[in-house]
Coordinates of all heavy atoms in Angstrom, one line a residue:
W238 N 2.7 -2.1 -20.1 CA 2.7 -1.0 -20.9 C 3.1 -1.6 -22.3 O 3.9 -2.5 -22.5 CB 3.7 0.0 -20.5 CG 3.8 1.1 -21.3 CD1 3.1 2.3 -21.1 CD2 4.6 1.4 -22.5 NE1 3.4 3.2 -22.2 CE2 4.3 2.6 -23.0 CE3 5.4 0.6 -23.1 CZ2 4.9 3.1 -24.1 CZ3 6.1 1.1 -24.3 CH2 5.8 2.3 -24.7
A239 N 2.4 -1.0 -23.4 CA 2.8 -1.4 -24.9 C 2.4 -0.1 -25.6 O 1.5 0.6 -25.5 CB 1.9 -2.6 -25.2
V240 N 3.1 -0.1 -26.7 CA 2.9 1.0 -27.7 C 1.5 1.0 -28.3 O 1.1 2.1 -28.6 CB 4.0 0.9 -28.9 CG1 3.6 1.9 -30.0 CG2 5.3 1.0 -28.4
T241 N 0.7 -0.1 -28.4 CA -0.7 0.0 -28.8 C -1.7 0.5 -27.8 O -2.8 0.6 -28.2 CB -0.9 -1.5 -29.1 OG1 -0.8 -2.3 -28.0 CG2 -0.1 -2.1 -30.4
L242 N -1.3 0.9 -26.6 CA -2.3 1.4 -25.7 C -2.7 2.8 -26.1 O -2.0 3.5 -26.9 CB -1.7 1.3 -24.2 CG -1.4 0.0 -23.6 CD1 -0.7 0.2 -22.3 CD2 -2.7 -0.6 -23.5
K243 N -3.8 3.4 -25.6 CA -4.4 4.5 -26.0 C -4.0 5.7 -25.1 O -4.8 6.6 -25.0 CB -5.8 4.4 -26.2 CG -6.4 3.4 -27.0 CD -5.9 3.6 -28.5 CE -6.4 2.6 -29.4 NZ -5.7 2.6 -30.7
Y244 N -2.8 5.6 -24.5 CA -2.4 6.8 -23.7 C -1.9 8.0 -24.5 O -1.4 7.7 -25.6 CB -1.4 6.2 -22.5 CG -1.9 5.3 -21.7 CD1 -1.0 4.1 -21.4 CD2 -3.1 5.3 -21.1 CE1 -1.7 3.0 -20.6 CE2 -3.6 4.3 -20.2 CZ -2.7 3.2 -19.9 OH -3.2 2.2 -19.1
S245 N -1.9 9.2 -23.8 CA -1.4 10.3 -24.5 C -0.8 11.3 -23.6 O -1.1 11.3 -22.4 CB -2.5 10.9 -25.4 OG -3.5 11.4 -24.5
D246 N 0.0 12.3 -24.1 CA 0.4 13.5 -23.3 C 0.6 14.7 -24.3 O 0.3 14.5 -25.6 CB 1.6 13.1 -22.5 CG 2.9 13.2 -23.3 OD1 2.9 13.5 -24.6 OD2 4.0 12.9 -22.8
E247 N 0.7 15.8 -23.8 CA 0.7 17.0 -24.6 C 2.0 17.2 -25.4 O 2.1 17.9 -26.3 CB 0.6 18.3 -23.6 CG 1.7 18.6 -22.7 CD 1.4 19.6 -21.8 OE1 0.4 19.9 -21.4 OE2 2.5 20.5 -21.5
H248 N 3.2 16.4 -25.1 CA 4.3 16.6 -25.8 C 4.3 15.7 -27.1 O 4.6 16.1 -28.2 CB 5.5 16.1 -25.0 CG 5.8 17.0 -23.9 ND1 7.0 16.8 -23.0 CD2 5.4 18.1 -23.5 CE1 7.0 17.7 -22.2 NE2 6.1 18.6 -22.5
Y249 N 3.9 14.4 -27.1 CA 3.9 13.5 -28.1 C 2.6 13.2 -28.8 O 2.3 12.6 -29.9 CB 4.6 12.2 -27.9 CG 6.1 12.4 -27.7 CD1 6.7 12.6 -26.3 CD2 7.0 12.4 -28.7 CE1 8.0 12.7 -26.1 CE2 8.3 12.6 -28.5 CZ 8.9 12.7 -27.2 OH 10.2 13.0 -27.1
G250 N 1.5 13.4 -28.1 CA 0.1 13.2 -28.6 C -0.3 11.8 -28.2 O -1.1 11.5 -27.6
N251 N 0.5 10.8 -28.8 CA 0.1 9.4 -28.4 C 1.3 8.5 -28.4 O 2.4 9.0 -28.8 CB -1.0 8.9 -29.6 CG -0.4 9.0 -30.9 OD1 0.7 8.5 -31.1 ND2 -1.1 9.4 -31.9
L252 N 1.0 7.3 -28.1 CA 2.4 6.4 -28.0 C 3.0 6.0 -29.3 O 4.1 5.9 -29.4 CB 1.8 5.1 -27.3 CG 1.6 5.2 -25.9 CD1 0.8 3.9 -25.3 CD2 2.7 5.5 -25.1
S253 N 2.3 6.1 -30.4 CA 3.0 5.8 -31.8 C 3.9 6.9 -32.1 O 5.0 6.5 -32.4 CB 1.8 5.7 -32.8 OG 1.0 4.5 -32.6
N254 N 3.5 8.1 -31.8 CA 4.5 9.3 -32.0 C 5.6 9.1 -31.2 O 6.7 9.4 -31.5 CB 3.7 10.6 -31.8 CG 2.5 10.9 -32.8 OD1 2.6 10.3 -33.9 ND2 1.7 11.8 -32.5
F255 N 5.4 8.9 -29.9 CA 6.5 8.7 -29.0 C 7.4 7.6 -29.4 O 8.6 7.8 -29.4 CB 6.0 8.4 -27.6 CG 7.0 8.2 -26.5 CD1 7.9 9.1 -26.0 CD2 7.1 6.8 -26.0 CE1 8.9 8.8 -25.2 CE2 8.1 6.5 -24.9 CZ 8.9 7.5 -24.6
A256 N 6.9 6.6 -29.8 CA 7.7 5.3 -30.3 C 8.5 5.7 -31.5 O 9.7 5.3 -31.6 CB 6.9 4.1 -30.6
A257 N 7.8 6.4 -32.4 CA 8.6 6.7 -33.7 C 9.7 7.7 -33.4 O 10.9 7.5 -33.9 CB 7.6 7.4 -34.6
A258 N 9.5 8.7 -32.4 CA 10.5 9.7 -32.1 C 11.7 8.9 -31.4 O 12.7 9.3 -31.5 CB 10.0 10.8 -31.2
F259 N 11.4 8.1 -30.4 CA 12.2 7.3 -29.7 C 13.1 6.5 -30.6 O 14.4 6.5 -30.6 CB 11.7 6.4 -28.7 CG 12.5 5.9 -27.7 CD1 12.9 6.3 -26.6 CD2 13.3 4.6 -28.0 CE1 13.9 5.9 -25.6 CE2 14.2 3.9 -27.2 CZ 14.5 4.6 -26.0
Q260 N 12.5 5.8 -31.5 CA 13.2 5.0 -32.6 C 14.2 5.8 -33.3 O 15.4 5.4 -33.6 CB 12.3 4.3 -33.5 CG 12.8 3.4 -34.6 CD 13.5 2.2 -34.2 OE1 13.0 1.5 -33.3 NE2 14.6 1.9 -34.8
Q261 N 13.8 7.0 -33.8 CA 14.6 7.9 -34.7 C 15.8 8.4 -33.9 O 16.9 8.4 -34.4 CB 13.9 9.0 -35.2 CG 14.6 9.9 -36.1 CD 13.8 11.0 -36.7 OE1 12.6 11.3 -36.3 NE2 14.4 11.7 -37.6
R262 N 15.6 8.7 -32.5 CA 16.7 9.2 -31.7 C 17.6 8.2 -31.2 O 18.8 8.3 -31.2 CB 16.1 10.1 -30.6 CG 17.2 10.7 -29.7 CD 16.4 11.6 -28.6 NE 17.4 12.2 -27.8 CZ 18.0 13.4 -28.0 NH1 17.6 14.1 -28.9 NH2 18.9 13.7 -27.1
K263 N 17.1 7.1 -30.8 CA 17.9 6.1 -30.2 C 18.3 4.9 -31.1 O 19.1 4.0 -30.7 CB 17.2 5.5 -28.9 CG 16.9 6.6 -27.8 CD 18.2 7.0 -27.3 CE 17.9 8.0 -26.1 NZ 19.1 8.5 -25.4
N264 N 17.7 4.8 -32.3 CA 18.0 3.7 -33.2 C 17.6 2.3 -32.6 O 18.4 1.4 -32.9 CB 19.2 3.7 -33.6 CG 19.5 3.0 -35.1 OD1 18.4 2.9 -35.8 ND2 20.6 2.5 -35.3
R265 N 16.5 2.2 -31.7 CA 16.1 1.0 -31.2 C 14.7 1.3 -30.8 O 14.0 2.4 -30.7 CB 16.9 0.6 -30.1 CG 16.9 1.4 -28.9 CD 17.7 0.8 -27.7 NE 17.8 1.7 -26.6 CZ 16.8 1.6 -25.6 NH1 15.7 0.9 -25.7 NH2 17.0 2.5 -24.5
S266 N 13.9 0.1 -30.6 CA 12.5 0.2 -30.2 C 12.5 0.7 -28.7 O 13.2 0.4 -28.0 CB 11.8 -1.1 -30.3 OG 11.8 -1.5 -31.7
V267 N 11.3 1.3 -28.4 CA 11.0 1.8 -27.0 C 10.6 0.6 -26.2 O 9.9 -0.3 -26.8 CB 10.1 2.9 -27.1 CG1 8.7 2.5 -27.5 CG2 10.0 3.5 -25.6
T268 N 11.0 0.6 -25.0 CA 10.5 -0.5 -24.0 C 9.6 0.3 -22.8 O 9.6 1.4 -22.9 CB 11.7 -1.1 -23.3 OG1 12.3 -0.2 -22.5 CG2 12.6 -1.6 -24.4
Y269 N 9.1 -0.6 -22.0 CA 8.3 0.1 -21.0 C 9.2 0.8 -20.0 O 8.7 1.7 -19.4 CB 7.5 -1.1 -20.3 CG 8.2 -2.0 -19.4 CD1 8.2 -1.8 -18.0 CD2 8.8 -3.1 -19.8 CE1 8.9 -2.5 -17.1 CE2 9.4 -3.9 -19.1 CZ 9.6 -3.6 -17.6 OH 10.3 -4.5 -16.8
L270 N 10.4 0.3 -19.9 CA 11.3 1.1 -19.0 C 11.6 2.5 -19.6 O 11.6 3.4 -18.8 CB 12.6 0.3 -18.7 CG 12.5 -1.0 -18.0 CD1 13.8 -1.8 -18.0 CD2 12.0 -0.8 -16.7
D271 N 11.8 2.5 -20.8 CA 12.0 3.9 -21.5 C 10.7 4.8 -21.3 O 10.9 5.9 -21.0 CB 12.3 3.6 -23.0 CG 13.5 2.9 -23.3 OD1 14.5 3.0 -22.6 OD2 13.4 2.0 -24.3
A272 N 9.7 4.2 -21.5 CA 8.4 5.0 -21.3 C 8.4 5.5 -19.9 O 7.8 6.6 -19.6 CB 7.2 4.2 -21.8
S273 N 8.6 4.7 -19.0 CA 8.4 4.9 -17.4 C 9.4 6.1 -17.1 O 9.0 6.9 -16.4 CB 8.5 3.7 -16.6 OG 9.8 3.1 -16.6
A274 N 10.5 6.0 -17.7 CA 11.6 6.9 -17.3 C 11.2 8.3 -17.9 O 11.3 9.4 -17.3 CB 13.0 6.5 -17.9
Y275 N 10.7 8.1 -19.2 CA 10.3 9.5 -19.7 C 9.1 10.2 -19.0 O 9.1 11.3 -18.6 CB 9.7 9.2 -21.3 CG 8.9 10.4 -21.7 CD1 9.4 11.7 -22.2 CD2 7.5 10.3 -21.7 CE1 8.6 12.7 -22.5 CE2 6.6 11.3 -22.2 CZ 7.2 12.5 -22.6 OH 6.4 13.5 -22.9
T276 N 8.2 9.3 -18.6 CA 7.0 9.7 -17.8 C 7.4 10.4 -16.3 O 6.9 11.3 -16.0 CB 6.1 8.5 -17.5 OG1 5.6 8.0 -19.0 CG2 4.8 9.0 -16.7
C277 N 8.5 9.8 -15.8 CA 8.9 10.3 -14.5 C 9.4 11.8 -14.8 O 9.1 12.7 -14.0 CB 10.1 9.6 -13.9 SG 9.5 7.9 -13.3
G278 N 10.2 12.0 -15.7 CA 10.6 13.3 -16.1 C 9.4 14.3 -16.5 O 9.4 15.5 -16.0
Y279 N 8.4 13.9 -17.2 CA 7.3 14.5 -17.5 C 6.4 15.1 -16.3 O 6.2 16.0 -16.2 CB 6.3 13.7 -18.5 CG 5.0 14.3 -18.9 CD1 5.0 15.4 -19.8 CD2 3.8 13.9 -18.4 CE1 4.0 15.9 -20.2 CE2 2.6 14.4 -18.9 CZ 2.8 15.4 -19.7 OH 1.5 16.0 -20.1
I280 N 6.3 14.0 -15.4 CA 5.6 14.4 -14.2 C 6.4 15.4 -13.2 O 5.9 16.4 -12.8 CB 5.3 13.2 -13.3 CG1 4.3 12.3 -14.0 CG2 4.9 13.4 -11.8 CD1 4.1 10.8 -13.5
L281 N 7.8 15.3 -13.1 CA 8.5 16.3 -12.5 C 8.4 17.7 -13.1 O 8.3 18.6 -12.5 CB 9.9 15.9 -12.5 CG 10.9 16.8 -11.7 CD1 10.5 16.9 -10.2 CD2 12.3 16.2 -11.8
E282 N 8.4 17.6 -14.6 CA 8.3 18.9 -15.3 C 6.9 19.5 -14.9 O 6.9 20.8 -14.6 CB 8.3 18.7 -16.8 CG 8.0 19.9 -17.5 CD 7.7 19.6 -19.0 OE1 7.8 18.3 -19.6 OE2 7.6 20.6 -19.9
K283 N 5.8 18.9 -14.9 CA 4.5 19.4 -14.7 C 4.4 19.8 -13.2 O 3.7 20.9 -12.8 CB 3.4 18.4 -15.0 CG 3.3 18.1 -16.4 CD 3.1 19.3 -17.2 CE 3.2 19.3 -18.7 NZ 3.0 20.6 -19.3
A284 N 5.0 19.1 -12.4 CA 5.1 19.5 -10.8 C 5.8 20.7 -10.7 O 5.3 21.7 -9.8 CB 5.6 18.3 -10.0
L285 N 6.9 20.9 -11.3 CA 7.8 22.1 -11.1 C 7.1 23.2 -11.7 O 7.3 24.4 -11.2 CB 9.2 22.0 -11.7 CG 10.1 21.1 -11.0 CD1 11.3 20.7 -11.7 CD2 10.6 21.6 -9.7
E286 N 6.3 23.1 -12.7 CA 5.5 24.3 -13.3 C 4.4 24.7 -12.4 O 4.1 26.0 -12.4 CB 4.9 23.8 -14.6 CG 5.8 23.6 -15.8 CD 5.2 23.1 -17.0 OE1 4.0 22.7 -17.0 OE2 5.9 23.0 -18.0
T287 N 3.9 23.9 -11.5 CA 2.8 24.3 -10.6 C 3.3 24.6 -9.1 O 2.5 25.2 -8.4 CB 1.7 23.3 -10.6 OG1 2.2 22.1 -10.1 CG2 1.1 23.2 -12.0
A288 N 4.4 24.0 -8.7 CA 4.9 24.2 -7.4 C 5.3 25.6 -7.2 O 5.9 26.4 -8.0 CB 6.1 23.3 -7.0
P289 N 5.0 26.2 -5.9 CA 5.5 27.5 -5.7 C 6.9 27.8 -5.7 O 7.5 28.9 -5.9 CB 4.6 27.9 -4.4 CG 4.2 26.6 -3.6 CD 4.2 25.7 -4.9
T290 N 7.6 26.8 -5.1 CA 9.1 26.8 -5.1 C 9.6 25.4 -5.5 O 8.8 24.5 -5.7 CB 9.5 27.1 -3.7 OG1 9.4 25.9 -2.8 CG2 8.8 28.3 -3.0
A291 N 10.9 25.3 -5.6 CA 11.5 24.0 -5.9 C 11.9 23.3 -4.8 O 12.7 22.1 -4.9 CB 12.7 24.2 -6.9
S292 N 11.4 23.5 -3.6 CA 11.7 22.9 -2.4 C 10.9 21.4 -2.4 O 10.0 21.3 -3.1 CB 11.3 23.6 -1.1 OG 9.7 23.6 -1.0
Y293 N 11.5 20.5 -1.8 CA 11.1 19.1 -1.8 C 9.6 19.2 -1.3 O 8.8 18.5 -2.1 CB 12.0 18.2 -0.9 CG 11.4 16.8 -0.9 CD1 11.7 15.9 -1.8 CD2 10.6 16.4 0.3 CE1 11.2 14.6 -1.7 CE2 10.2 15.2 0.4 CZ 10.5 14.2 -0.7 OH 9.8 13.0 -0.7
P294 N 9.2 19.7 -0.3 CA 7.8 19.6 0.2 C 6.8 20.2 -0.8 O 5.7 19.7 -1.2 CB 7.8 20.5 1.5 CG 9.1 20.4 2.0 CD 10.0 20.4 0.8
D295 N 7.2 21.3 -1.4 CA 6.3 22.1 -2.5 C 6.2 21.1 -3.7 O 5.1 21.0 -4.3 CB 6.9 23.5 -2.9 CG 6.7 24.5 -1.7 OD1 5.8 24.2 -0.9 OD2 7.2 25.5 -1.9
V296 N 7.4 20.6 -4.1 CA 7.3 19.8 -5.4 C 6.5 18.4 -5.1 O 5.7 18.0 -5.8 CB 8.7 19.4 -6.0 CG1 8.7 18.4 -7.1 CG2 9.4 20.8 -6.4
L297 N 6.8 17.9 -3.9 CA 6.0 16.6 -3.6 C 4.5 16.9 -3.5 O 3.8 16.1 -4.0 CB 6.5 16.1 -2.2 CG 5.8 14.8 -1.7 CD1 6.1 13.8 -2.6 CD2 6.4 14.6 -0.3
A298 N 4.2 18.1 -2.9 CA 2.7 18.4 -2.9 C 2.2 18.5 -4.2 O 1.1 18.3 -4.5 CB 2.6 19.6 -2.1
A299 N 3.0 19.1 -5.2 CA 2.5 19.4 -6.6 C 2.2 18.1 -7.3 O 1.4 17.8 -8.0 CB 3.5 20.4 -7.2
V300 N 3.3 17.1 -7.1 CA 3.2 15.8 -7.7 C 2.0 15.1 -7.3 O 1.2 14.5 -8.1 CB 4.5 15.0 -7.4 CG1 4.2 13.5 -7.8 CG2 5.7 15.5 -8.1
R301 N 1.7 15.2 -6.0 CA 0.4 14.5 -5.3 C -0.7 15.1 -5.9 O -1.7 14.5 -6.1 CB 0.6 14.5 -3.9 CG 1.5 13.7 -3.4 CD 1.6 13.7 -1.8 NE 2.5 12.7 -1.3 CZ 3.1 12.7 -0.1 NH1 2.7 13.6 0.8 NH2 3.9 11.7 0.4
A302 N -0.7 16.5 -6.3 CA -2.0 17.1 -6.8 C -2.3 16.9 -8.2 O -3.3 17.3 -8.8 CB -1.8 18.6 -6.4
L303 N -1.1 16.3 -9.0 CA -1.3 16.2 -10.4 C -2.4 15.2 -10.8 O -2.5 14.1 -10.2 CB 0.0 15.8 -11.1 CG 1.0 16.7 -11.1 CD1 2.3 16.1 -11.7 CD2 0.6 17.9 -12.0
N304 N -3.2 15.6 -11.8 CA -4.1 14.5 -12.4 C -4.2 15.0 -13.9 O -4.8 15.8 -14.3 CB -5.5 14.9 -11.8 CG -6.6 13.9 -12.4 OD1 -6.2 12.8 -13.0 ND2 -7.8 14.2 -12.2
L305 N -3.2 14.3 -14.7 CA -3.1 14.7 -16.1 C -2.8 13.4 -16.9 O -2.3 12.4 -16.4 CB -1.9 15.6 -16.3 CG -0.5 15.1 -16.0 CD1 0.5 15.8 -16.8 CD2 -0.2 15.5 -14.5
P306 N -3.1 13.3 -18.1 CA -2.9 12.2 -18.9 C -1.4 12.1 -19.1 O -0.6 13.0 -19.2 CB -3.6 12.5 -20.2 CG -3.7 14.0 -20.3 CD -3.8 14.4 -18.9
S307 N -0.9 10.8 -19.2 CA 0.5 10.7 -19.6 C 0.7 9.4 -20.5 O -0.2 8.6 -20.6 CB 1.3 10.4 -18.3 OG 1.1 9.0 -17.8
L308 N 1.9 9.1 -21.0 CA 2.1 8.0 -21.8 C 2.1 6.8 -21.0 O 2.2 5.7 -21.5 CB 3.4 8.2 -22.7 CG 3.4 9.3 -23.7 CD1 4.7 9.4 -24.3 CD2 2.3 9.2 -24.7
W309 N 2.2 6.8 -19.7 CA 2.2 5.6 -18.9 C 0.8 5.4 -18.4 O 0.6 4.2 -17.8 CB 3.2 5.9 -17.7 CG 3.4 4.7 -16.9 CD1 2.9 4.4 -15.7 CD2 4.3 3.6 -17.4 NE1 3.6 3.1 -15.4 CE2 4.4 2.6 -16.4 CE3 5.0 3.3 -18.5 CZ2 5.1 1.3 -16.4 CZ3 5.8 2.1 -18.6 CH2 5.8 1.2 -17.6
G310 N 0.0 6.2 -18.5 CA -1.4 5.9 -18.2 C -2.0 6.8 -17.2 O -1.4 7.8 -16.7

């Protein structure tokens, strides 16, 4: 993972925007670990929006059914 890749999501648009927002908030450069942690939360958010309940089986099924762009690829 690198900021120069062409991945995107609906929150930040592209990696450059994500990196700039991260730099402003945390006062340091974003790393691949930061991007992966953000992406985990993003995937969980999208799964919870589509799962019929917040139960583990429903959320797991929703995660498995996701097919969306993300900053991680």
Side-chain angles (χ1 to χ4, degrees):
W238 185 90
V240 173
T241 56
L242 295 173
K243 301 296 181 196
Y244 300 134
S245 64
D246 76 5
E247 66 183 38
H248 290 181
Y249 289 99
N251 61 44
L252 289 171
S253 294
N254 293 342
F255 174 70
F259 189 92
Q260 175 71 39
Q261 183 177 12
R262 183 173 174 99
K263 299 292 186 178
N264 200 28
R265 65 178 177 84
S266 297
V267 66
T268 68
Y269 75 95
L270 292 174
D271 301 318
S273 66
Y275 163 78
T276 301
C277 289
Y279 179 70
I280 289 169
L281 181 58
E282 172 191 6
K283 293 301 171 189
L285 288 169
E286 288 175 355
T287 60
T290 73
S292 71
Y293 178 80
D295 286 343
V296 174
L297 179 60
V300 167
R301 288 180 173 161
L303 287 175
N304 183 16
L305 66 148
S307 76
L308 296 179
W309 193 252

